[in-house]
């Protein structure tokens, strides 16, 4: 893993609606496949705060998290019928090759990303499937989110994704976060 993994004891913070200041449903949904046949993967789903936003628009969301406690919190909140929790490390996905039509990851890239994790993601995605990343930026102030020294930025994310064989379509820095859209 990149840096420390989010503490499940602080999971309530992930359910704070003011988080939409930093990442909206629309910017995640835009590049993703939609409709009943679409299966998408949420890399580091936590309590499902953003998973729940995407679920109504796709056939199935695979909610990947390495911490069983996070899925426990999500169960307590209520998991939509078309969301399947997957408890596994991003470096070893229990999913078949080329079976996932798109992926997204919110505020997790700095925790979960290693070359092995990106290779795994590429393996399970269909050809040209989108991967949308929004995460805290090292160019941010650090007022919210993890310490600045633990964060990546858009350029680093682009380089990691490119090295893993993804084609980066867009990358942007904002005030506190960055967003990258890449294709497998
Ligand atoms: C900061 S939380 C963000 C959760 C969610 N994406 C959100 O925005 O509400 C990061 C989550 O990623 C999970 N995570 C970190 N590293 C991971 C890995 N290598 N594989 C799978 N999940 C991971 C953590 O357990 C945690 O639940």
């Amino acid at each position: 893993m990149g840096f420390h993994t989010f503490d499940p004891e602080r999971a309530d913070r992930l359910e704070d609606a003011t988080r939409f200041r930093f990442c909206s449903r629309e910017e995640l949904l835009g590049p993703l496949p939609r409709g009943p046949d679409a299966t998408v993967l949420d890399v580091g789903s936590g309590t499902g705060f953003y998973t729940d936003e995407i679920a109504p628009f796709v056939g199935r969301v695979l909610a990947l998290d390495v911490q069983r406690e996070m899925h426990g919190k999500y169960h307590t909140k209520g998991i939509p019928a078309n969301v399947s929790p997957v408890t596994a490390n991003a470096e070893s996905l229990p999913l078949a090759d080329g079976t996932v039509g798109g992926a997204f990851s919110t505020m997790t890239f700095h925790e979960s990303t290693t070359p092995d994790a990106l290779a795994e993601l590429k393996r399970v995605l269909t050809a040209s499937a989108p991967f949308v990343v929004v995460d805290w930026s090292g160019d941010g102030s650090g007022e919210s989110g993890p310490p600045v020294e633990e964060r990546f930025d858009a350029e680093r994310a682009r380089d990691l994704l490119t090295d893993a064989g993804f084609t980066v379509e867009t990358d942007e820095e904002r005030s506190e976060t960055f967003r990258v859209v890449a294709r497998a």
Side-chain angles (χ1 to χ4, degrees):
M1 286 175 226
F3 288 97
H4 77 263
T5 308
F6 193 88
D7 180 359
E9 293 294 320
R10 297 166 58 231
D12 286 353
R13 295 189 183 199
L14 298 174
E15 292 297 312
D16 176 0
T18 65
R19 297 184 64 211
F20 288 120
R21 279 180 299 172
F22 299 112
C23 176
S24 74
R25 175 188 77 192
E26 293 292 287
E27 62 182 324
L28 298 174
L29 199 54
L32 293 175
R34 291 193 285 280
D37 295 334
T39 295
V40 302
L41 176 69
D42 181 358
V43 181
S45 53
T47 57
F49 182 78
Y50 284 104
T51 326
D52 285 351
E53 294 294 322
I54 300 303
F57 297 92
V58 299
R60 180 149 302 278
V61 186
L62 305 169
L64 172 77
D65 207 289
V66 71
Q67 299 190 89
R68 196 168 296 283
E69 299 98 308
M70 285 299 196
H71 283 142
K73 304 263 183 199
Y74 196 5
H75 270 294
T76 301
K77 187 177 76 167
I79 299 185
N82 67 334
V83 172
S84 302
V86 178
T87 307
N89 193 311
E91 292 185 335
S92 180
L93 298 176
L95 303 170
D97 295 4
T99 52
V100 178
F104 65 98
S105 182
T106 55
M107 314 310 176
T108 298
F109 195 77
H110 68 284
E111 288 185 30
S112 65
T113 299
T114 62
D116 284 351
L118 291 179
E120 268 297 83
L121 180 60
K122 191 158 190 303
R123 177 184 68 75
V124 303
L125 289 172
T126 57
S128 302
F131 179 36
V132 187
V133 178
V134 176
D135 197 6
W136 301 105
S137 175
D139 284 354
S141 68
E143 259 178 58
S144 298
V148 170
E149 58 273 16
E150 293 191 5
R151 304 174 178 196
F152 293 177
D153 59 18
E155 186 178 2
R156 176 96 190 277
R158 185 184 62 215
D159 289 348
L160 286 163
L161 285 159
T162 302
D163 287 351
F166 286 80
T167 301
V168 174
E169 279 188 347
T170 61
D171 64 276
E172 60 182 14
E173 288 287 350
R174 295 96 71 94
S175 66
E176 198 64 35
T177 61
F178 68 85
R179 176 176 179 264
V180 175
V181 180
R183 291 204 177 259

